[in-house]
């Protein structure tokens, strides 16, 4: 009976050791899986950050280019002393102020606010296109 009891105890011990090894292996697999997920999350976050930085840079460049064009036209209009030239220059200066504000918004925009900022930039660029076209039509001689 003692032998049987010892044999059962040894078998139980062996079974318990095997179970711990299997559990350890499972824990290692889970740990590796979690680490891999963590790396993927980091890569995704870096990609999202890079994408956001790229979008912000493009918006800044678009606004800066438009502001430069407006500045050039304002300088040209300063040479023209007519009343129409003054009106056109005033409209362009107002548009420039608005663009500079939006440029500041883009530069200071957080990731969470980016979608709203981007919509505002797109809306302003569309508005400036329309106003530019309108100014060219209304002041043809000044825009030649």
């Amino acid at each position: 009976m003692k032998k049987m009891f010892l044999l059962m105890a040894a078998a139980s011990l062996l079974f318990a050791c095997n179970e711990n090894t299997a559990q350890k292996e499972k824990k290692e697999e889970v740990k590796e899986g979690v680490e891999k997920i963590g790396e993927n999350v980091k890569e995704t976050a870096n990609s999202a950050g890079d994408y956001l930085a790229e979008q912000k840079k493009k918006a800044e460049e678009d606004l800066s280019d438009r502001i430069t064009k407006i500045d050039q036209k304002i300088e040209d209009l300063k040479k023209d002393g007519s009343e129409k030239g003054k009106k056109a220059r005033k409209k362009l200066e107002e548009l420039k102020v608005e663009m500079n504000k939006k440029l500041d918004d883009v530069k200071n925009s957080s990731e969470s606010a980016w979608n709203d900022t981007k919509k505002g930039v797109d809306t302003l660029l569309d508005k400036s296109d329309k106003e530019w076209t309108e100014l060219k039509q209304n002041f043809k001689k000044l825009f030649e």
Side-chain angles (χ1 to χ4, degrees):
M1 187 73 167
K2 274 185 170 182
K3 288 184 181 180
M4 183 105 141
F5 182 70
L6 286 174
L7 189 59
M8 287 174 84
S12 295
L13 186 60
L14 183 63
F15 182 72
C17 288
N18 284 339
E19 195 171 63
N20 283 339
T21 304
Q23 287 176 347
K24 287 180 184 178
E25 288 175 4
K26 282 290 184 187
K27 285 181 184 177
E28 285 297 317
E29 287 177 20
V30 169
K31 185 178 176 183
E32 289 173 6
V34 168
E35 288 173 356
K36 188 173 183 177
I37 289 171
E39 289 172 9
N40 288 342
V41 167
K42 287 179 185 175
E43 287 176 18
T44 301
N46 288 339
S47 295
D50 291 345
Y51 176 75
L52 176 64
E54 183 180 310
Q55 290 294 308
K56 286 177 77 169
K57 182 180 177 186
K58 184 181 181 324
E60 286 178 31
E61 288 173 354
D62 289 346
L63 288 169
S64 294
D65 288 347
R66 197 68 55 97
I67 290 168
T68 300
K69 287 180 183 177
I70 291 172
D71 282 339
Q72 290 170 347
K73 195 59 187 173
I74 287 173
E75 286 302 312
D76 291 344
L77 291 172
K78 284 182 180 179
K79 297 172 188 171
D80 180 77
S82 70
E83 197 59 37
K84 278 189 167 188
K86 289 178 185 178
K87 286 181 183 179
R89 193 172 73 223
K90 183 179 179 194
K91 284 189 174 204
L92 287 173
E93 287 171 348
E94 290 170 359
L95 185 59
K96 180 183 171 185
V97 167
E98 198 173 344
M99 292 229 164
N100 279 320
K101 285 180 186 176
K102 191 54 72 177
L103 184 58
D104 287 340
D105 288 349
V106 169
K107 289 179 180 178
N108 299 319
S109 178
S110 66
E111 186 175 340
S112 60
W114 174 244
N115 287 335
D116 291 335
T117 303
K118 177 71 172 131
K119 286 178 187 175
V121 168
D122 291 341
T123 302
L124 181 58
L125 289 174
D126 289 343
K127 177 185 172 186
S128 74
D129 285 339
K130 290 175 186 172
E131 286 188 20
W132 189 263
T133 302
E134 185 179 307
L135 283 169
K136 285 172 69 174
Q137 289 173 353
N138 291 339
F139 305 101
K140 288 179 185 179
K141 288 185 179 182
L142 299 175
F143 280 81
E144 291 177 342

